[in-house]
Amino acid sequence: MMKILISGSSGFVGSRVLYQWQGRAELLAFPHGFLADADETAVRRFAETTQPDVILHLAALSDTGYCQQHPEESRRANVELPVWMAKAALDTGAKLVSFSSDQVYAGVKQPGPLPETLTLSPANIYGQHKLEAEERVQALCPEAVLLRAPWMYDLPGDGLPIRGNLPLNLLKAAREGVPVRFSPDDHRGVSWVREVVKRLLPALQLSGGVYNFGSGNDTDMVTTALQFAELLGVQVQIEPAGFSRNLVMDGTRLAAQGIRFNDAVGSFEACLKFYQK
């Protein structure tokens, strides 16, 4: 059975990996809180004690606003830690699979789904650090798999940690009778985290490189929010925000390897069907 060492195992994605992959692999985790204080030597030493087949690096500091205000914390979490994981993979002969982010595309002006081959200059600190991590990890470990993940959501269930996300924000706004703000010029994919975790298992077999890893979306976020609200059976008032962004990822490269995601609305329909069982 494959032995997988997971960082961020108590987080939004990592907790669902532990839950959904039970019995499919030998799942190991860095101790709770360990990575907040550990240095490179400690990280590499811990990996050596476990001798994993795969290091699945999910831990990150992903609040873009916080990263903008605390760039040194962001650098440690989002650049230095992935590099340490790459070195740990080299030490142990493990394959590294590490999450990146759709925020590497922040600032891209071209419309439509964005391929992995674009030359990028991210507009925020978080995206800059994620792109730097990709480049440094690839330089160390060309066989590493780097997955650019989108904004993810889930509904409460199975005692797993939950956080604010698109459907929960819409439900809260409808319940409290307050408007929500979205831009008609904002385009991005949003993905159900349980679908991401499901597709992540076969992604462990991908050849090294960068892959867009999440749902596509052919509509703007105002339309997407209204579609989600309709599926939830609630009405929300939307105040238009005045910014333009395109983070929609082209899934062609991933699909060529046999891994396909539902589009944003199809993913949410699957989520609702799952919780209505």
Side-chain angles (χ1 to χ4, degrees):
M1 186 175 286
M2 185 185 299
K3 184 188 293 187
I4 304 172
L5 175 60
I6 303 166
S7 74
S9 61
S10 62
F12 187 64
V13 180
S15 61
R16 286 159 176 79
V17 168
L18 292 180
Y19 184 81
Q20 292 179 226
W21 291 7
Q22 293 178 63
R24 297 188 175 192
E26 182 180 351
L27 304 175
L28 308 170
F30 287 92
H32 182 68
F34 174 83
L35 295 175
D37 300 313
D39 60 9
E40 176 182 334
T41 300
V43 169
R44 294 171 69 175
R45 184 178 295 129
F46 186 86
E48 286 181 341
T49 66
T50 61
Q51 288 294 307
D53 301 304
V54 175
I55 297 175
L56 178 57
H57 180 49
L58 304 173
L61 185 58
S62 58
D63 184 319
T64 56
Y66 187 90
C67 290
Q68 200 71 24
Q69 295 174 356
H70 303 87
E72 291 307 312
E73 289 184 48
S74 176
R75 171 166 290 281
R76 183 193 180 280
N78 297 320
V79 179
E80 293 177 10
L81 193 53
V83 169
W84 299 347
M85 295 293 173
K87 292 179 179 179
L90 289 173
D91 293 339
T92 60
K95 181 172 185 175
L96 177 63
V97 178
S98 181
F99 265 30
S100 185
S101 170
D102 63 356
Q103 290 291 331
V104 299
Y105 295 113
V108 170
K109 300 302 181 184
Q110 81 175 50
L114 305 173
E116 296 90 341
T117 52
L118 287 178
T119 300
L120 300 173
S121 181
N124 58 56
I125 290 291
Y126 178 67
Q128 291 166 20
H129 285 166
K130 282 295 191 180
L131 183 61
E132 182 181 346
E134 289 182 4
E135 293 168 347
R136 291 179 60 183
V137 166
Q138 282 191 295
L140 285 166
C141 293
E143 68 278 11
V145 173
L146 297 142
L147 304 175
R148 292 174 176 170
W151 189 19
M152 289 178 275
Y153 62 85
D154 202 2
L155 297 176
D158 297 319
L160 297 170
I162 198 74
R163 65 187 185 192
N165 57 56
L166 179 56
L168 294 185
N169 293 347
L170 294 171
L171 288 169
K172 184 175 185 289
R175 183 175 64 250
E176 297 178 357
V178 297
V180 287
R181 289 175 59 81
F182 290 100
S183 171
D185 295 315
D186 184 20
H187 299 81
R188 69 185 308 186
V190 287
S191 290
W192 181 28
V193 66
R194 292 192 188 228
E195 182 183 10
V196 171
V197 171
K198 180 179 179 180
R199 307 288 182 240
L200 183 54
L201 193 58
L204 301 182
Q205 307 302 323
L206 290 170
S207 57
V210 177
Y211 297 84
N212 291 332
F213 200 73
S215 296
N217 195 358
D218 60 3
T219 63
D220 61 84
M221 284 305 297
V222 169
T223 303
T224 300
L226 291 173
Q227 290 173 324
F228 273 48
E230 182 179 0
L231 289 168
L232 287 166
V234 300
Q235 291 187 333
V236 294
Q237 177 187 349
I238 294 182
E239 290 184 350
F243 70 92
S244 178
R245 178 174 62 178
N246 179 26
L247 302 180
V248 178
M249 297 188 293
D250 185 341
T252 301
R253 185 181 188 205
L254 191 68
Q257 302 301 314
I259 303 175
R260 295 174 175 82
F261 281 84
N262 292 317
D263 64 16
V265 172
S267 179
F268 190 49
E269 289 173 334
C271 172
L272 292 177
K273 184 177 181 180
F274 176 84
Y275 282 106
Q276 288 166 357
K277 289 189 298 184

